[in-house]
Amino acid sequence: KHILDIEAISAEPGALNLLSRSAAGSMRDALSLLDQAIAHGAGKVEEAHVREMLGTVDLDYLFLILDALLAGDAAGMLQVAQDMATRSLSFDEALQELAGLLTRLQIAQLAPHAVADDLPERARVLCMADQLDPEFVQLAYQIVVHGRKELPLAPDDETGFVMTLLRLYVFRPAAASDMDAPRAPAAIVAERKEMVSPVLQPQSG
């Protein structure tokens, strides 16, 4: 940002956040990516152009998936996956980004003051964090991480991604809403943890 200010080049905070994450702590890589972003954006550093350059999945897709999950809309989740496939987005990258988003949601739930004020999606993260059960976020993270590991075993990446979304749908707390006796979301999640395949359970040692 300091360099861009000196060079009088406009930049969106979300774009700088993406470049920083992609550089993974390397200043040399950060400057190289910044140079590429300036060229790619014809003199501007905009989030949409940087996402396109890096092949990073737009977080809007991931928030749409979580919105559909909260609404109990499996068809809506699959529609997002189809839209992503139409744009030839990386499903491996999508699961990686989704795991990162779930991590930020959990931080917002358990340590809200640790959420950076300049996080581009801060308002959306805080809003979504209020709507999700903290225990389910833990389970969802585990499902997503293992779904990414299983991608090479799936018939194709889209199928693996879709099955991961459907697994999230099946184990969401609201999935038990039509059972005889209503229970607290935490109790439902605990029961579903016991039902999940051992591959999804935390490994000891």
Side-chain angles (χ1 to χ4, degrees):
K1 185 177 185 305
H2 176 69
I3 293 172
L4 291 171
D5 288 343
I6 293 175
E7 298 295 331
I9 297 174
S10 63
E12 295 179 350
L16 297 183
N17 186 45
L18 288 171
L19 292 172
S20 176
R21 284 162 52 192
S22 295
S26 168
M27 180 58 73
R28 178 181 296 177
D29 289 349
L31 293 176
S32 176
L33 288 170
L34 177 59
D35 191 47
Q36 293 176 44
I38 293 171
H40 187 80
K44 296 181 180 179
V45 183
E46 299 176 337
E47 183 173 355
H49 289 149
V50 172
R51 284 193 182 278
E52 181 181 352
M53 181 188 83
L54 297 175
T56 307
V57 175
D58 193 324
L59 287 179
D60 283 343
Y61 287 110
L62 306 184
F63 278 109
L64 286 173
I65 286 172
L66 294 179
D67 283 339
L69 180 64
L70 282 166
D73 183 7
M77 297 174 73
L78 299 184
Q79 182 60 56
V80 176
Q82 184 176 333
D83 292 344
M84 292 170 64
T86 300
R87 290 194 56 191
S88 300
L89 298 178
S90 167
F91 289 111
D92 178 79
E93 179 76 24
L95 290 175
Q96 181 180 7
E97 288 286 329
L98 184 53
L101 176 56
L102 288 167
T103 300
R104 294 193 289 280
L105 289 172
Q106 187 85 110
I107 291 172
Q109 291 174 329
L110 304 181
H113 295 300
V115 180
D117 291 337
D118 59 353
L119 183 70
E121 63 272 16
R122 186 177 192 276
R124 298 176 77 178
V125 164
L126 293 175
C127 180
M128 183 66 68
D130 285 339
Q131 301 177 66
L132 287 168
D133 181 86
E135 288 192 35
F136 175 70
V137 173
Q138 281 284 330
L139 180 59
Y141 175 84
Q142 199 172 27
I143 288 173
V144 169
V145 168
H146 281 281
R148 189 180 176 211
K149 286 169 119 178
E150 293 171 353
L151 277 186
L153 304 177
D156 54 72
D157 282 3
E158 183 178 357
T159 299
F161 183 74
V162 166
M163 284 302 294
T164 300
L165 295 188
L166 293 177
R167 189 176 291 164
L168 288 171
Y169 179 82
V170 167
F171 290 101
R172 76 196 192 284
S177 61
D178 57 352
M179 297 179 68
D180 293 336
R183 291 166 294 160
I188 297 170
V189 172
E191 176 183 288
R192 275 168 160 62
K193 283 181 180 177
E194 296 299 322
M195 296 167 57
V196 181
S197 167
V199 73
L200 294 179
Q201 299 302 320
Q203 300 298 313
S204 61

